[in-house]
């Protein structure tokens, strides 16, 4: 498939059939259930009337790649929530096109935003057909200017019935250096949005916020090749996966 053959659309401009295909064919097969928002939440955030940024690449009427984002801290922090390319389109450059052509158009709407992405720690999550290769994903983001937060990360519970996802890493993307907002501010808002204010009293979250504040103060972000150095903190407790 050649990239020029794909049309671009925001998910809010797509019909219900396309929205469901994005969920069923691009998101659900790749992301673990505890990492994946529900279909209803997808529709609410990205469907008609939703204001979260999105780009879908379409081969005819069939979605073959998608990138979804979410704003925090009064549009000063942009989280790249999901990036997925269909099996049939892997290696065609669609993921690179989304990251280099579409993502800058999102974050340039805000002054010096902090642009973040959540990825698997390769030391915790093995390479698998469903979720892909965590080392390859880090190299991909590294080639496009990504840098690594020097702290072990746990993703908040996205659903009331799901657990937090340990063994994760946070990356900074884009040209914005993030001076307009901090990592700690984002994490505080993210955990409260997902789990409620009580999450801030959790020792695991407090440790993560303390480390993020130190990262903000030092403005220290690492090369992605240093991913193995961030493990071993209480914030990563329970990170070893079977």
């Amino acid at each position: 498939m050649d990239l020029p053959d794909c049309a671009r659309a925001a998910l809010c401009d797509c019909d219900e059939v396309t929205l469901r295909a994005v969920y069923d064919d691009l998101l659900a097969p790749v992301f673990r259930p505890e990492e994946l928002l529900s279909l209803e939440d997808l529709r609410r955030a990205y469907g008609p009337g939703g204001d979260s940024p999105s780009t879908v690449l379409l081969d005819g009427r069939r979605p073959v790649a998608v990138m979804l984002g979410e704003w925090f801290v009064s549009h000063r922090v942009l989280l790249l929530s999901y990036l997925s390319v269909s099996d049939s389109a892997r290696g065609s450059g669609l993921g690179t096109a989304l990251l280099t052509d579409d993502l800058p158009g999102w974050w340039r709407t805000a002054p010096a935003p902090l642009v973040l992405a959540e990825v698997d720690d390769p030391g915790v999550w093995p390479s698998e057909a469903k979720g892909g290769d965590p080392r390859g994903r880090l190299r991909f983001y590294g080639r496009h200017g990504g840098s690594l937060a020097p702290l072990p990360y746990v993703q908040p519970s996205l659903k009331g019935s799901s657990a937090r996802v340990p063994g994760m890493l946070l990356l900074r993307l884009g040209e914005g250096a993030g001076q307009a907002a901090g990592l700690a501010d984002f994490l505080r808002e993210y955990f409260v949005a997902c789990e409620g204010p009580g999450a801030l009293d959790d020792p695991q979250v407090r440790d993560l916020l303390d480390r993020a504040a130190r990262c903000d103060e030092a403005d220290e972000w690492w090369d992605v090749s240093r991913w193995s150095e961030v493990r071993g903190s209480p914030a990563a407790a329970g990170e070893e996966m079977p």
Side-chain angles (χ1 to χ4, degrees), residues 26-217:
L26 295 179
L27 298 179
V30 175
F31 294 95
R32 295 181 290 269
E34 60 270 25
E35 295 178 298
L36 186 60
L37 78 176
S38 68
L39 175 61
E40 181 55 38
D41 286 339
L42 177 73
R43 186 182 293 110
R44 183 181 303 112
Y46 300 98
D51 59 0
S52 296
S54 64
T55 302
V56 182
L57 298 183
L58 300 163
D59 179 25
R61 295 180 57 85
R62 182 171 64 95
V64 291
V66 64
M67 184 171 66
L68 305 176
E70 187 174 359
W71 286 105
F72 290 87
V73 195
S74 299
H75 275 64
R76 292 182 293 143
V77 178
L78 175 62
L79 176 65
L80 175 55
S81 304
Y82 300 99
L83 176 62
S84 180
V85 178
S86 69
D87 288 342
S88 63
R90 293 273 173 87
S92 61
L94 298 187
T96 295
L98 287 170
L99 200 64
T100 59
D101 298 341
D102 293 82
L103 183 61
W106 297 355
W107 58 256
R108 284 175 182 153
T109 64
L114 178 61
V115 185
L116 300 172
E118 302 163 310
V119 297
D120 288 347
D121 182 336
V124 177
W125 298 98
S127 177
E128 56 184 18
K130 176 181 178 181
D133 176 17
R135 285 181 172 84
R137 191 172 297 115
L138 277 170
R139 291 193 297 270
F140 170 76
Y141 284 118
R143 288 195 300 271
H144 296 289
S147 55
L148 177 68
L151 51 86
Y153 175 61
V154 54
Q155 186 186 66
S157 172
L158 300 185
K159 309 169 188 174
S161 60
S162 65
R164 293 172 184 163
V165 183
M168 303 288 286
L169 302 170
L170 272 176
L171 302 180
R172 183 173 70 182
L173 309 174
E175 298 174 8
Q179 295 95 336
L183 181 60
D185 291 336
F186 157 72
L187 290 172
R188 188 176 295 106
E189 183 174 322
Y190 192 21
F191 272 87
V192 169
C194 292
E195 300 183 11
L200 301 182
D201 296 324
D202 185 281
Q204 187 180 53
V205 177
R206 289 203 305 269
D207 179 77
L208 181 59
L209 291 175
D210 287 345
R211 290 173 177 270
R214 292 196 292 271
C215 178
D216 285 332
E217 183 176 355

